[in-house]
């Protein structure tokens, strides 16, 4: 699966902050990014990491992140708030 460039992903992203605070973002990142080949060892901050995570850190929600499942009241688990369409599991990882 080919990732978009940061500029392409930023241009397509929704103009909304993906997480209400850092705790939410870190919990979601631990579930998805920590086991994804596109952000091995947290390289989004030092490069060449995942451009989608960099878009999220720029306070926009990547178009590749779709809403995860919600219960009958509309609540969701932070770890499943979004599903990343570009997720690729590292060997031994898992979302």
């Amino acid at each position: 699966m080919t990732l978009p460039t940061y500029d392409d992903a930023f241009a397509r992203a929704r103009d909304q902050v993906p997480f209400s605070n850092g705790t939410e973002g870190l919990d979601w990142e631990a579930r998805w990014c920590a086991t994804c080949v596109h952000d091995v060892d947290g390289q989004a901050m030092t490069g060449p990491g995942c451009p989608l995570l960099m878009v999220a850190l720029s306070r926009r929600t990547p178009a590749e992140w779709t809403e995860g499942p919600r219960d009958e009241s509309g609540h969701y688990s932070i770890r499943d708030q979004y599903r990343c369409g570009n997720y690729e599991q590292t060997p031994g990882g898992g979302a």
Side-chain angles (χ1 to χ4, degrees), residues 37-78:
V37 299
H38 300 300
D39 195 46
V40 176
D41 299 325
Q43 291 180 351
M45 295 300 288
T46 59
C50 179
L52 303 179
L53 186 54
M54 289 304 298
V55 167
L57 292 171
S58 298
R59 305 179 56 80
R60 293 175 64 90
T61 304
E64 292 82 359
W65 292 6
T66 58
E67 287 194 15
R70 294 177 184 262
D71 67 16
E72 57 279 345
S73 300
H75 298 115
Y76 54 84
S77 151
I78 294 301

Side-chain angles (χ1 to χ4, degrees), residues 3-13 55 64:
L3 285 175
T5 66
Y6 170 82
D7 290 335
D8 289 341
F10 188 88
R12 287 192 330 277
V55 167
E64 292 82 359

Side-chain angles (χ1 to χ4, degrees), residues 5 9 18 23 26 28 30 36 44 47 49-50 53 60 67 76 79 81 88-89:
T5 66
T23 300
L26 289 173
W28 188 88
C36 182
C50 179
L53 186 54
R60 293 175 64 90
E67 287 194 15
Y76 54 84
R79 294 182 142 220
Q81 181 176 359
E88 289 184 54
Q89 182 176 317

Side-chain angles (χ1 to χ4, degrees), residues 18-36:
F19 304 107
S20 63
N21 58 54
T23 300
E24 282 187 8
L26 289 173
D27 196 30
W28 188 88
E29 184 181 353
R31 159 92 168 160
W32 291 90
C33 305
T35 61
C36 182

